[in-house]
Amino acid sequence: MNPGHGWTDYQQRLGRVIAYLHDHLDEPLDLHRLAEVAHLSPYHWHRVYHALHGETIAVTVRRLRLHWATGYLANTSLPVEQLARRCGYPNAQSFARAFRTAYGMSPLQYRQHGNHVAFRTAQAASAAPAGYEVSVREIPRVRLAGLDHKGSYIAIGKAFERSYVQLAARGQVGPASRWIAEYFDDPSSVPERQLCSRAGLSVPDSAEVVPPLVAFEVGGGPCAVLRHRGPYATMRAAYQWLYGHWLVNSGHEVGDAPVFEEYLNNPRDTAPADLLTDICLPLARATAAR
């Protein structure tokens, strides 16, 4: 048997599980159903998952559900009871316990005091949020291989997982691989189901990109870079501040390229409050005065 082929086969099977989870987070966790999705024995598949992914399936589900929950808390006024059900919790009490364990505060406290509030307060006061700054710098071109994603930006992790499986199968993933996504639409003006984005991992210029993966590039020019600390799902307020305050007061002009994000650490082994993301807004290159 070819060991590489066997590893690839297991990764692809478990990649189907991750995709299924993203689409069914509001449903009860059924280990037997997940075993069917993976086409593996219910006696062994979760051990394989833990060994390859570095976390149990229960931890993955909890992480993804709370990821969605932070987005609802930061960007909607949904009551906690309703929000809990949308995220797969049977009641507000069980959701609140899980949320407090992960974030150190209750859901309502997070809605009122989470890091997204700093950007909204700053925009209202026409100031910079405490602890954040924007740097304008040249971002070297990065070649990536990945997949298109349509729908909620919160679910782009599914495209990342599928891209990773395809690239890992070809030995194109390493410690230096960079995880980057570009976002084509404004979620406040485009229906969620129509939002378009793309996620991928960096690859060398010489690397062959095999379908269904697509090759794309980001960078290669000046960008305004805002380093965001905290959960991915709460960055909408940071975008509103970046465009609505920083850009219009900066003297810079936006470039003809979509905004992109680079994820600097791994949510599997990083506390949500410590996740680091560079939001990169392409800018037009300044022209010399005549």
Side-chain angles (χ1 to χ4, degrees):
M1 176 181 174
N2 183 332
H5 175 74
W7 182 89
T8 300
D9 181 58
Y10 279 114
Q11 281 284 17
Q12 290 176 338
R13 291 180 187 215
L14 297 182
R16 291 197 296 267
V17 172
I18 293 293
Y20 180 89
L21 289 177
H22 276 279
D23 293 334
H24 297 84
L25 285 174
D26 59 340
E27 300 175 8
L29 175 61
D30 185 337
L31 293 178
H32 286 281
R33 174 60 186 139
L34 295 180
E36 292 174 358
V37 172
H39 295 299
L40 288 170
S41 164
Y43 299 107
H44 307 295
W45 82 271
H46 48 288
R47 294 180 186 268
V48 176
Y49 182 93
H50 190 185
L52 290 182
H53 283 257
E55 64 182 9
T56 66
I57 190 68
V59 169
T60 299
V61 170
R62 182 168 61 249
R63 174 168 57 80
L64 293 178
R65 283 175 172 169
L66 293 177
H67 168 67
W68 279 84
T70 56
Y72 285 130
L73 288 168
N75 303 314
T76 77
S77 57
L78 281 175
V80 171
E81 185 76 40
Q82 185 178 349
L83 185 157
R85 289 195 298 272
R86 287 195 181 191
C87 295
Y89 288 90
N91 52 60
Q93 292 73 27
S94 60
F95 165 64
R97 284 194 298 271
F99 193 91
R100 183 179 289 277
T101 298
Y103 292 88
M105 64 181 76
S106 72
L108 289 179
Q109 287 173 323
Y110 187 84
R111 173 170 273 166
Q112 295 168 359
H113 304 293
N115 61 334
H116 54 284
V117 176
F119 287 97
R120 290 178 181 159
T121 303
Q123 187 166 356
S126 299
Y132 288 90
E133 61 180 32
V134 177
S135 63
V136 176
R137 62 180 188 263
E138 193 80 11
I139 300 295
R141 181 184 66 86
V142 183
R143 183 171 184 254
L144 302 120
L147 293 167
D148 291 336
H149 173 72
K150 193 161 189 178
S152 171
Y153 288 161
I154 296 178
I156 200 169
K158 181 164 62 172
F160 270 122
E161 292 284 349
R162 292 174 57 213
S163 300
Y164 172 82
V165 168
Q166 296 288 333
L167 290 168
R170 299 180 60 84
Q172 295 176 311
V173 176
S177 297
R178 298 166 66 180
W179 297 63
I180 296 175
E182 56 181 355
Y183 298 90
F184 302 103
D185 300 309
D186 177 1
S188 64
S189 59
V190 175
E192 187 174 87
R193 65 183 180 278
Q194 296 178 17
L195 292 171
C196 293
S197 53
R198 182 178 293 152
L201 282 71
S202 60
V203 294
D205 288 345
S206 59
E208 181 183 12
V209 177
V210 178
L213 296 176
V214 296
F216 64 105
E217 297 179 351
V218 299
C223 287
V225 181
L226 168 64
R227 179 156 296 181
H228 180 274
R229 180 184 291 272
Y232 303 138
T234 63
M235 288 194 286
R236 185 179 297 183
Y239 272 88
Q240 290 171 335
W241 178 84
L242 182 63
Y243 280 90
H245 174 71
W246 182 86
L247 178 63
V248 298
N249 291 288
S250 69
H252 290 280
E253 201 171 317
V254 291
D256 188 21
V259 68
F260 60 96
E261 297 174 4
E262 179 168 6
Y263 308 97
L264 304 177
N265 46 16
N266 191 332
R268 291 180 186 169
D269 55 22
T270 305
D274 295 327
L275 291 171
L276 294 175
T277 307
D278 277 350
I279 301 174
C280 302
L281 173 61
L283 301 173
R285 195 176 295 279
T287 55
R290 295 190 178 187

